[in-house]
């Protein structure tokens, strides 16, 4: 699991690399297996983990005051500032 976490953390700024198909290819498995494998070993879905991790990083940047919403949107591959706000509202940070 450490390698899966490392992969996610390394590619958190490139959402296309976090798709099941891409991750499955990287880990030499199938897209239908990687999600259930992650859930079985962590108790949380792959999608939820990635979303929660992104939200946490975005919150940190927002509270630091060093980044504008536009900078955050660009960094995380989001469309614009309003997308950052909508993304944060989709699920509360744990």
């Amino acid at each position: 699991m450490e390698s899966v976490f490392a992969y996610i953390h390394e590619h958190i700024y490139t959402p296309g690399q976090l798709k099941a198909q891409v991750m499955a290819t990287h880990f030499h498995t199938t897209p239908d297996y990687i999600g259930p494998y992650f859930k079985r070993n962590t108790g949380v879905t792959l999608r939820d983990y990635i979303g929660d991790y992104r939200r946490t990083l975005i919150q940190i940047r927002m509270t630091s005051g060093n980044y504008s919403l536009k900078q955050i949107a660009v960094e995380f591959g989001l469309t614009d500032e309003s997308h950052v706000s909508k993304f944060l509202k989709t699920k509360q940070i744990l």
Side-chain angles (χ1 to χ4, degrees):
M1 284 307 303
E2 287 182 36
S3 60
V4 176
F5 287 124
Y7 179 90
I8 292 168
H9 293 190
E10 180 181 341
H11 293 94
I12 198 69
Y13 303 106
T14 51
Q17 295 295 313
L18 298 176
K19 294 184 177 194
Q21 178 66 45
V22 176
M23 289 182 68
T25 300
H26 177 81
F27 289 105
H28 308 290
T29 188
T30 66
D32 293 334
Y33 180 77
I34 195 148
Y37 171 80
F38 190 89
K39 170 97 175 177
R40 185 171 54 253
N41 286 283
T42 65
V44 65
T45 67
L46 181 58
R47 172 180 255 170
D48 284 348
Y49 179 81
I50 292 169
D52 290 345
Y53 183 57
R54 288 178 85 200
R55 280 183 203 84
T56 300
L57 292 176
I58 290 170
Q59 268 312 99
I60 290 168
R61 279 161 181 70
M62 288 177 70
T63 56
S64 77
N66 296 326
Y67 300 88
S68 70
L69 282 178
K70 186 173 186 169
Q71 289 171 314
I72 293 169
V74 169
E75 182 180 18
F76 286 90
L78 300 171
T79 309
D80 55 26
E81 297 93 331
S82 67
H83 196 190
V84 174
S85 298
K86 288 177 188 175
F87 179 75
L88 289 174
K89 291 177 185 177
T90 58
K91 186 176 179 186
Q92 294 295 323
I93 299 175
L94 302 176

